[in-house]
Amino acid sequence: VSTQSTGERGRDLIVTIPVGSIVGCQQSQKPLIELDTEDEVFVAARGGRGGEGNRSVSSRVSFGRGRYACREKEEGEDGQLSKLYLEMKIIADIGLVGLPNAGKSSLLRAISGAQPKIASYPFTTLRPHQGIIHYDGYYRVRMADIPGLIEGSSLGRGLGFSFLRHIERCKSLLYVVDMSNTDCGPIETIGILEKELEAYKPGMTENIVGIVANKIDLLHGPQKIIEMARAFPQYPVMPISALEQRNIVAVRNVLEPFKFLYAHQSEADMEMYD
């Protein structure tokens, strides 16, 4: 067996992550880099370096039969150890924004087939749930059910900072309003949501693409829907009943322009998001 060995050379471990991911330090909880372009590489930890001796640094003093004295050696170096976290900056194309118990999870179920928890009490959803809306031709749109906001969320009330951070990671937003809420009317509800979004990050309301007027099965007429449409003419208003799956097609139609976002992606890329 040859003794002129150099040791095993380890292979690089390459982890593929979606474009838009943030890599951060687990200890300091600070981001290190945002990988926002395709094929961008970040070296998280470098491997160790082998030591040198015998053949590499042996003296030229021969002991016969091709053997040389090893007068010095160089120790190897350990590899780096890094504890990192990964965070998706963009978690969905469409985020559902509303007060607690507005029916966001029910809408996500009705339109995508996702299975978030549904209950009749506020704050049923404590973390975002994702669903995929399918269109013809293998086109898709990712939708996220964001935990409900309350007045004062931008000041940290009710885990507000955490919930608002999720909203910031959606490309576009839909307001979901409980039209049957007698404690807070639909127009007042939109005012609260707009105030909290802008207080957290100015300009965030520019990502709103429509208003979902939910729970129309509990209304006794169209008056509230008409008032909503007049108060916010800049948005399409979609009256639906997520529970009864009534008029869900209206939401699908409004979101259809977003489906081209995946037209250029491979199946491998799509599986990464599923």
Side-chain angles (χ1 to χ4, degrees):
V1 179
S2 172
T3 59
Q4 305 297 336
S5 302
T6 58
E8 183 179 358
R9 184 179 298 274
R11 296 180 180 179
D12 293 335
L13 174 62
I14 300 176
V15 179
T16 303
I17 59 178
V19 174
S21 298
I22 297 174
V23 182
C25 176
Q26 186 71 37
Q27 183 176 2
S28 66
Q29 289 296 302
K30 292 183 178 180
L32 300 175
I33 188 172
E34 178 182 338
L35 301 174
D36 53 5
T37 59
E38 193 170 353
D39 295 327
E40 188 174 1
V41 176
F42 171 69
V43 179
R46 297 188 180 276
R49 186 180 65 82
E52 293 185 341
N54 297 334
R55 188 177 183 184
S56 300
V57 295
S58 62
S59 71
R60 305 313 299 172
V61 179
S62 174
F63 282 82
R65 296 184 181 179
R67 294 179 297 173
Y68 295 88
C70 181
R71 298 283 180 85
E72 58 183 34
K73 65 178 180 179
E74 184 177 322
E75 297 289 347
E77 296 177 355
D78 293 333
Q80 295 177 330
L81 177 62
S82 300
K83 291 186 178 181
L84 307 172
Y85 67 84
L86 294 175
E87 179 179 295
M88 280 291 296
K89 184 175 182 182
I90 301 297
I91 63 172
D93 305 303
I94 301 295
L96 302 178
V97 180
L99 299 182
N101 211 29
K104 300 181 294 297
S105 297
S106 297
L107 173 57
L108 185 67
R109 273 197 178 205
I111 201 170
S112 73
Q115 298 294 315
K117 181 180 178 180
I118 294 177
S120 59
Y121 52 84
F123 293 111
T124 308
T125 301
L126 294 176
R127 62 181 181 84
H129 294 281
Q130 279 193 349
I132 303 294
I133 306 172
H134 296 269
Y135 293 88
D136 292 339
Y138 300 101
Y139 291 111
R140 305 181 185 185
V141 171
R142 288 176 302 162
M143 175 179 282
D145 166 22
I146 307 297
L149 299 180
I150 62 174
E151 193 165 12
S153 290
S154 58
L155 301 176
R157 289 186 58 197
L159 298 177
F161 288 142
S162 175
F163 294 172
L164 284 163
R165 184 171 62 89
H166 294 313
I167 294 174
E168 187 181 12
R169 294 158 64 192
C170 298
K171 292 182 179 179
S172 299
L173 305 171
L174 277 179
Y175 287 137
V176 181
V177 179
D178 178 359
M179 300 299 291
S180 68
N181 190 339
T182 57
D183 296 328
C184 185
I187 296 177
E188 183 183 355
T189 296
I190 296 297
I192 292 174
L193 296 174
E194 288 187 335
K195 175 184 174 183
E196 296 304 323
L197 292 179
E198 287 296 315
Y200 177 73
K201 185 176 181 180
M204 189 177 286
T205 55
E206 296 176 4
N207 296 330
I208 303 296
V209 297
I211 299 174
V212 176
N214 193 23
K215 303 188 182 182
I216 60 172
D217 52 299
L218 301 178
L219 298 181
H220 300 292
Q223 188 59 39
K224 285 188 176 182
I225 299 172
I226 294 173
E227 292 174 356
M228 171 82 77
R230 288 176 177 173
F232 303 99
Q234 69 272 35
Y235 302 130
V237 176
M238 296 151 277
I240 72 162
S241 170
L243 180 64
E244 298 181 355
Q245 298 194 16
R246 287 166 52 187
N247 205 30
I248 300 299
V249 66
V251 183
R252 287 181 57 90
N253 291 340
V254 167
L255 300 184
E256 190 167 5
F258 295 89
K259 69 181 183 180
F260 74 92
L261 294 171
Y262 289 114
H264 66 283
Q265 292 192 343
S266 66
E267 284 300 314
D269 292 331
M270 292 305 304
E271 290 174 0
M272 189 182 303
Y273 291 110
D274 287 351

